[in-house]
Amino acid sequence: MQILLTMLAVLPWTDWVALVWFLAAWVGYARFADKRASVQPSVLAATNRIRWQWMLQTTKREVRVIDGVVVQSLSVSPSFFASTTILIIGGLLAVLGASDQASALARELPFAARTTVLVFDLKLLLLTAVFVYSFFRFTWSLRQYTFGALLVASAPEASEFAVEGGPSREAFADRAGRVVGLAAEAFNDGLRGYYMAFAVIGWFFSPLVFMLATAGVVYILYRREFRSEVLDTLRGF
């Protein structure tokens, strides 16, 4: 009990409220987006349907070079973000190693909260944790795209699908489309982490800014995933 009270005393109660609000908003929105997608298609759900159509068309092509090129192209984005995230994590760890100077510099920023070095380090650790999570999601996305490339490369010839009693086009499209869709979902989670990282930056100014930034980021995510113009266009396919 004493240890718990000591831990709670590290941060003011306003910071604890802001931190709980941030975590609840992130996890809550992720669950909301998953459930909402079954009722109202999201950008991810709409593109997953297109991925299924893509894999179905793959079974009809004799030469699948274009499919391999597309999978490779899709894997470029998670590879780029994973590499960038490593650099960001390295920079944050370097700042943690010089937190005294960084904290003093942060206190010079207009409207920035005046906190102890320990509290400043905790904020940096949270920001680092967000990017570590994003890194794991980006690398997992990259691996799943390689699995998708393997499925495309191992697909039976188009003539075999046309034979009665042969492999099912729909079954292949379901499996391959699902794998590529999971890769896109992992990439989406990593990008969502980047968005939430911007909300964490608000914590360096004040808990209130942190909470408002969190709400703003969640609103932006909702608008882009469920109310964007590109979604209206994708629904037409």
Side-chain angles (χ1 to χ4, degrees):
M1 186 64 180
Q2 185 62 36
I3 296 176
L4 179 60
L5 292 175
T6 303
M7 292 177 60
L8 291 175
V10 171
L11 291 174
W13 69 270
T14 52
D15 289 278
W16 280 116
V17 170
L19 182 58
V20 171
W21 167 256
F22 169 77
L23 296 175
W26 189 355
V27 176
Y29 177 76
R31 292 184 177 275
F32 165 81
D34 289 340
K35 293 184 179 296
R36 184 69 176 176
S38 62
V39 178
Q40 177 185 355
S42 62
V43 170
L44 183 61
T47 53
N48 279 341
R49 185 176 66 253
I50 296 174
R51 290 183 185 92
W52 184 88
Q53 295 173 352
W54 165 30
M55 289 302 167
L56 187 63
Q57 290 298 318
T58 298
T59 64
K60 302 176 182 179
R61 280 192 277 267
E62 293 291 344
V63 180
R64 299 180 178 126
V65 175
I66 183 64
D67 302 295
V69 171
V70 172
V71 173
Q72 183 180 9
S73 177
L74 290 173
S75 65
V76 169
S77 292
S79 176
F80 168 78
F81 274 97
S83 301
T84 303
T85 305
I86 281 291
L87 297 177
I88 294 174
I89 293 172
L92 289 172
L93 292 177
V95 174
L96 275 171
S99 56
D100 291 341
Q101 297 89 332
S103 178
L105 180 62
R107 284 194 292 268
E108 298 298 325
L109 296 174
F111 310 110
R114 272 54 176 174
T115 61
T116 63
V117 175
L118 176 59
V119 173
F120 182 81
D121 286 346
L122 290 176
K123 295 176 181 179
L124 283 177
L125 285 173
L126 175 62
L127 193 58
T128 304
V130 171
F131 282 111
V132 168
Y133 167 81
S134 295
F135 171 77
F136 279 111
R137 296 305 289 168
F138 287 137
T139 53
W140 182 230
S141 172
L142 182 60
R143 288 198 64 190
Q144 289 180 102
Y145 274 125
T146 63
F147 302 154
L150 286 174
L151 286 174
V152 171
S154 64
E157 297 293 335
S159 57
E160 296 183 35
F161 284 109
V163 176
E164 185 177 354
S168 169
R169 297 183 188 276
E170 289 74 15
F172 174 82
D174 286 339
R175 290 195 301 271
R178 178 60 176 161
V179 170
V180 179
L182 288 172
E185 182 178 340
F187 179 68
N188 187 63
D189 290 342
L191 278 182
R192 192 177 292 165
Y194 263 64
Y195 277 82
M196 300 307 294
F198 281 98
V200 177
I201 294 175
W203 198 12
F204 290 91
F205 293 91
S206 73
L208 178 60
V209 173
F210 185 21
M211 295 177 69
L212 291 176
T214 300
V217 166
V218 170
Y219 176 74
I220 292 173
L221 287 172
Y222 172 77
R223 291 288 303 178
R224 293 191 173 183
E225 292 188 35
F226 293 95
R227 298 290 183 180
S228 61
E229 295 181 6
V230 69
L231 176 58
D232 294 336
T233 304
L234 290 171
R235 284 175 179 170
F237 288 91

